[in-house]
């Protein structure tokens, strides 16, 4: 019993010695999880959108990632992730002379719509970010780099109501729109790419709080798609946790 404090002290010393004996280069593996919040938006807002009446993020927008980092020294490394992301939101706005396509009953209308618009986006992406990682300190790490993403499960739907549409042009034949729908899910680009930045704070051994921003540089619709007359980009933040699996 008298030797127990010495044994504990030596055990602690050995533990920290092992922790400090990481040989570089080395691999570090983590699993990240959290929730996305943001939007798929034109930049800047076009003149056709006169007023944003409401915005709500998707109630369930998970982010799950497996991350591997090759550390070349105590400060610098290269990280890659395999990520599953659900990105979505609902927005209601007032529009004027918005060129679009809508359906009422069995008939399709192509023209300029004025009235209320509700858009619901719920897209699931599989993405691969490749980032430079930098340790500011033992607790803080930041990352920056490009990502490429594949649209696995698309959903871009909405309604148009309380207005009218002029077929063909702003001075075309006027049709009253009480309630119409649109579905551009399958018209979206299958691939997205952009820039991803993140930061982590390790609040206890192997666990860290993680914040992340991904900014899409590719419009979600192809250039020849005319039902949406402006470019829209994925801009989403993520807040979650990171857990270190192992270092070897």
């Amino acid at each position: 019993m008298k030797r127990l404090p010495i044994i504990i002290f030596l055990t602690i010393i050995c533990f920290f010695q092992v922790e400090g004996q990481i040989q570089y280069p080395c691999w570090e593996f983590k699993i990240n999880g959290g929730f996305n919040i943001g939007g798929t938006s034109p930049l800047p807002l076009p003149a056709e959108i006169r007023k944003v009446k409401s915005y709500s993020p998707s109630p369930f927008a998970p982010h799950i990632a497996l991350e591997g980092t090759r550390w070349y020294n105590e400060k610098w490394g290269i990280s890659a992730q395999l990520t599953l992301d659900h990105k979505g939101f609902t927005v209601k706005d007032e529009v004027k002379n918005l060129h679009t396509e809508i359906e009422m009953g069995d008939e399709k209308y192509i023209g300029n719509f004025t009235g209320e618009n509700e858009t619901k986006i719920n897209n699931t992406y599989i993405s691969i970010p490749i980032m430079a990682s930098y340790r500011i300190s033992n607790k803080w790490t930041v990352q920056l780099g490009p990502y490429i993403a594949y649209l696995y499960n698309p959903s871009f739907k909405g309604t148009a109501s309380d207005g009218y549409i002029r077929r063909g042009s702003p001075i075309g034949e006027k049709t009253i729109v009480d309630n119409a729908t649109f579905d551009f899910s399958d018209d979206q680009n299958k691939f997205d790419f952009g820039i991803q930045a993140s930061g982590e704070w390790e609040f206890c051994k192997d666990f860290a709080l993680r914040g992340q921003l991904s900014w899409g540089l590719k419009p979600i619709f192809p250039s020849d798609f005319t039902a949406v007359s402006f470019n829209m980009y994925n801009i989403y933040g993520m807040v979650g946790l990171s857990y270190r699996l192992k270092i070897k």
Side-chain angles (χ1 to χ4, degrees), residues 54-206:
S54 67
Y55 160 86
S56 58
S58 177
F60 183 68
H63 164 91
I64 302 173
L66 179 63
E67 177 181 309
T69 301
R70 181 68 165 173
W71 289 104
Y72 294 97
N73 53 49
E74 292 183 354
K75 292 292 185 181
W76 288 99
I78 299 293
S79 299
Q81 295 179 355
L82 180 61
T83 302
L84 181 68
D85 272 309
H86 183 95
K87 297 179 177 181
F89 72 105
T90 299
V91 63
K92 295 180 181 180
D93 47 37
E94 292 181 1
V95 300
K96 185 174 183 179
N97 288 328
L98 176 68
H99 183 79
T100 189
E101 297 180 10
I102 59 176
E103 293 184 4
M104 288 192 293
D106 296 329
E107 190 169 0
K108 178 180 290 187
Y109 293 80
I110 302 175
N112 291 61
F113 172 71
T114 297
E116 293 195 0
N117 174 79
E118 181 181 60
T119 301
K120 295 182 179 180
I121 298 177
N122 289 286
N123 289 328
T124 302
Y125 288 90
I126 298 172
S127 61
I128 300 177
I130 299 176
M131 300 167 290
S133 295
Y134 178 71
R135 283 196 182 112
I136 299 174
S137 67
N138 291 334
K139 296 292 185 180
W140 286 94
T141 303
V142 293
Q143 297 173 319
L144 178 66
Y147 75 85
I148 185 170
Y150 171 74
L151 180 55
Y152 171 72
N153 186 26
S155 180
F156 189 112
K157 303 177 181 180
T159 60
S161 60
D162 300 327
Y164 60 88
I165 189 169
R166 292 189 179 273
R167 283 186 161 178
S169 73
I171 58 173
E173 178 187 352
K174 182 178 180 180
T175 300
I176 299 299
V177 177
D178 293 322
N179 189 25
T181 63
F182 57 86
D183 187 347
F184 306 142
S185 301
D186 295 332
D187 298 299
Q188 297 180 85
N189 284 316
K190 286 298 183 180
F191 288 93
D192 182 31
F193 64 84
I195 299 295
Q196 180 171 300
S198 65
E200 282 189 357
W201 172 60
E202 188 171 322
F203 60 91
C204 68
K205 180 176 170 55
D206 296 333

Side-chain angles (χ1 to χ4, degrees), residues 31-34 63 200 203 207-210 238-243:
I31 186 168
N32 306 326
H63 164 91
E200 282 189 357
F203 60 91
F207 285 93
L209 290 175
R210 183 177 180 89
M238 189 282 297
V239 177
L241 294 173
S242 175
Y243 173 67

